[in-house]
Amino acid sequence: MHFTSERRLEDGVLEREFTLGEIPGILWTPDSSPAPLILLGHPGGLARMYPRLSARARHSAAQGYATATLELPGSGERPRSDAAEQARADLQRAVRAGKPVDDGIVERLVLPLVEAAVPEWQEALDALLALPGIRGPVGYSGGVIGIGLRLAVVEPRVAAAVLFAGSYVPRRMFEEARRVTIPLLVLLQWDDENNDRQLALDLFDAFGSKEKTLHANMGGHTGVPGFEGDDVNRFFARHLE
Amino acid sequence: MHFTSERRLEDGVLEREFTLGEIPGILWTPDSSPAPLILLGHPGGLARMYPRLSARARHSAAQGYATATLELPGSGERPRSDAAEQARADLQRAVRAGKPVDDGIVERLVLPLVEAAVPEWQEALDALLALPGIRGPVGYSGGVIGIGLRLAVVEPRVAAAVLFAGSYVPRRMFEEARRVTIPLLVLLQWDDENNDRQLALDLFDAFGSKEKTLHANMGGHTGVPGFEGDDVNRFFARHLE
């Protein structure tokens, strides 16, 4: 992990860009230390997602959390995968047509992404937790929900997760969902144009965690109300201390 | 409204029992004044429900809210209705048998209760808001969800409601739900033995409010996690100030 830039934001948060091998990422740290770490999930495209990610990072830093994120395979400046691009186009075509999305398309899009991304996030965890002032247990917060799901199953350092149900999950991952046991907060936008409501409810039902809470709000994919940011902080305060 | 008893609880909350005509009720007030009022809904049987109601009242008082509740028609010491008793028995038999509950049974149980209870709660509001130190706008918090739904439609002094989806609602009330416009927080116990999950999700979908949030948690009817009490307080803080 190499830091490539460093700047102090207005509210005192230190923002550092880094590369992990070829993969770009960003780390935000608060003044207080040691800070528990939250991994910020997103749909890919760090530059495009930066405004929302940095807002979440600063909101978390105000409560004493460090946050970090990584570019996803096939997004931003990273090499594209023809198969993933094809699957994404197929999914978007089905969604635009208002048709039920074939699970085969979802599998082609999500499974390779999860397989490729999760080991990278685990490698990032190794590097981040070796930095001074950052500590576990770790939280995961955001999408892609399939990545968060897989991390919750395979990565014991992740102790609690906020999963944004704003993307499709192949039915094949429901078996995996039953093996999740960490506390979960699942955020669902009731009229999310990027997801299927019933699929999200079925996935919430499938998670094996004894403590799991669903927060559903009105509006589309990007309309999560501001007060949910406070709820996310309180959720992590209960589970990462 | 006549006060029949008065005592100061350990945490400084003033608890007063009253009668409104023949109907018993309880009012809890914090030290601070004027306090916004929250009506505490419940399934009937004030004596049986007292431990949970007073806990909710004290939690609300700690945030500066007055709370009040009324006995429901046909519950506690109030005269029974044969028709309601029969409908309740029919509903319990259907639930025990694990069968889908016929909407006709739900109508026979819930509609007369809503019709009888809501004018009483409105009359209580007249009396409560005339007391010194208590002010609107008013919140409603709890079950019976049909009563909260009707109050949200017909009572303009109720400005926000936390509805506990722990009881059946006849499908005929869904039209009414579309006319609700106040902010709502709907609490759902995912495995509530007293309700049907899909009915609760359909009802949440039907509410006409632009701001509505669903919080679903694991466990049965009485298993609402303690942290939801804080969420309820924060919801009212956003809407009753």
Side-chain angles (χ1 to χ4, degrees):
Chain A
M1 170 175 278
H2 296 283
F3 289 107
T4 55
S5 79
E6 171 174 327
R7 64 176 181 136
R8 186 72 65 173
L9 307 181
E10 274 171 41
D11 40 14
V13 178
L14 184 64
E15 176 183 280
R16 283 176 282 181
E17 296 182 307
F18 62 81
T19 55
L20 182 79
E22 302 291 308
I23 310 166
I26 312 176
L27 169 65
W28 294 270
T29 44
D31 271 338
S32 53
S33 161
L37 177 66
I38 298 170
L39 299 173
L40 296 185
H42 60 85
L46 276 192
R48 181 176 62 91
M49 292 300 298
Y50 176 81
R52 277 189 276 163
L53 288 166
S54 65
R56 286 159 59 195
R58 293 157 81 157
H59 198 85
S60 299
Q63 299 298 318
Y65 298 104
T67 48
T69 193
L70 272 192
E71 185 59 276
L72 293 187
S75 289
E77 307 294 309
R78 301 187 63 187
R80 292 286 177 279
S81 138
D82 288 344
E85 294 297 304
Q86 184 60 53
R88 191 185 313 274
D90 292 346
L91 182 117
Q92 286 168 348
R93 193 175 314 113
V95 168
R96 270 198 306 271
K99 286 192 288 191
V101 175
D102 183 77
D103 198 49
I105 298 176
V106 179
E107 280 196 11
R108 281 193 284 125
L109 180 63
V110 176
L111 288 184
L113 178 65
V114 169
E115 295 289 344
V118 167
E120 295 174 356
W121 288 68
Q122 291 184 288
E123 197 187 329
L125 262 189
D126 296 341
L128 290 162
L129 290 173
L131 295 172
I134 293 183
R135 70 162 175 85
V138 175
Y140 179 90
S141 176
V144 171
I145 191 167
I147 294 175
L149 191 172
R150 172 68 57 83
L151 274 169
V153 173
V154 302
E155 179 47 68
R157 292 172 290 186
V158 172
V162 176
L163 299 178
F164 179 52
S167 56
Y168 286 85
V169 170
R171 291 267 167 191
R172 194 197 285 195
M173 287 191 80
F174 277 45
E175 261 316 307
E176 212 169 323
R178 291 190 179 82
R179 302 210 305 273
V180 175
T181 57
I182 61 171
L184 297 180
L185 173 59
V186 177
L187 301 184
L188 171 64
Q189 287 299 96
W190 200 246
D191 299 303
D192 193 330
E193 64 280 12
N194 289 5
N195 196 6
D196 178 275
R197 185 194 302 162
Q198 192 57 52
L199 183 84
L201 293 170
D202 291 350
L203 180 62
F204 176 71
D205 191 49
F207 283 118
S209 307
K210 255 185 257 170
E211 181 176 338
K212 54 179 176 177
T213 300
L214 175 75
H215 284 190
N217 287 287
M218 289 308 96
H221 187 77
T222 59
V224 179
F227 56 76
E228 288 294 348
D230 298 326
D231 287 5
V232 166
N233 278 345
R234 280 186 291 264
F235 171 80
F236 283 129
R238 287 204 302 277
H239 299 294
L240 298 187
E241 302 306 325
Chain B
M1 171 174 275
H2 297 283
F3 289 108
T4 56
S5 79
E6 171 175 329
R7 64 177 181 135
R8 186 73 64 175
L9 306 181
E10 273 172 41
D11 39 15
V13 178
L14 183 65
E15 177 183 279
R16 284 176 281 180
E17 295 181 307
F18 62 83
T19 54
L20 183 78
E22 302 291 309
I23 310 164
I26 313 175
L27 170 65
W28 293 271
T29 44
D31 272 337
S32 53
S33 162
L37 177 66
I38 298 169
L39 298 173
L40 296 185
H42 60 85
L46 277 190
R48 180 176 63 91
M49 292 300 296
Y50 176 81
R52 277 190 275 162
L53 286 166
S54 65
R56 286 160 59 196
R58 293 155 83 156
H59 199 85
S60 299
Q63 300 297 316
Y65 297 106
T67 48
T69 194
L70 273 192
E71 185 58 280
L72 293 188
S75 288
E77 306 295 309
R78 299 188 65 187
R80 293 285 178 279
S81 138
D82 287 345
E85 293 298 305
Q86 184 60 52
R88 193 186 311 276
D90 292 347
L91 183 118
Q92 285 168 350
R93 194 175 314 116
V95 169
R96 271 198 306 270
K99 286 191 291 190
V101 175
D102 182 75
D103 198 49
I105 298 176
V106 179
E107 280 197 12
R108 281 193 285 124
L109 179 65
V110 175
L111 288 184
L113 178 65
V114 170
E115 295 289 344
V118 166
E120 295 175 354
W121 287 68
Q122 292 183 288
E123 199 189 328
L125 263 189
D126 296 341
L128 290 160
L129 290 174
L131 295 172
I134 293 182
R135 70 162 176 85
V138 174
Y140 178 89
S141 175
V144 172
I145 191 168
I147 294 175
L149 191 172
R150 172 68 58 83
L151 274 170
V153 173
V154 302
E155 179 46 69
R157 291 171 291 187
V158 172
V162 176
L163 300 178
F164 179 52
S167 56
Y168 286 86
V169 170
R171 289 269 168 191
R172 194 196 286 195
M173 288 191 80
F174 277 46
E175 262 316 306
E176 214 169 321
R178 287 183 234 292
R179 302 210 305 274
V180 175
T181 57
I182 61 172
L184 297 179
L185 173 58
V186 176
L187 301 184
L188 171 65
Q189 288 297 98
W190 200 245
D191 298 306
D192 193 330
E193 63 280 15
N194 290 4
N195 198 3
D196 177 275
R197 185 195 301 161
Q198 192 57 52
L199 183 83
L201 293 170
D202 291 348
L203 180 62
F204 176 72
D205 191 47
F207 284 118
S209 308
K210 256 184 253 168
E211 181 176 336
K212 54 179 177 180
T213 301
L214 176 74
H215 284 190
N217 287 286
M218 290 306 96
H221 187 77
T222 58
V224 179
F227 56 75
E228 288 294 349
D230 299 326
D231 287 5
V232 166
N233 279 345
R234 279 186 291 264
F235 171 79
F236 283 128
R238 288 203 303 278
H239 298 295
L240 299 187
E241 301 307 326

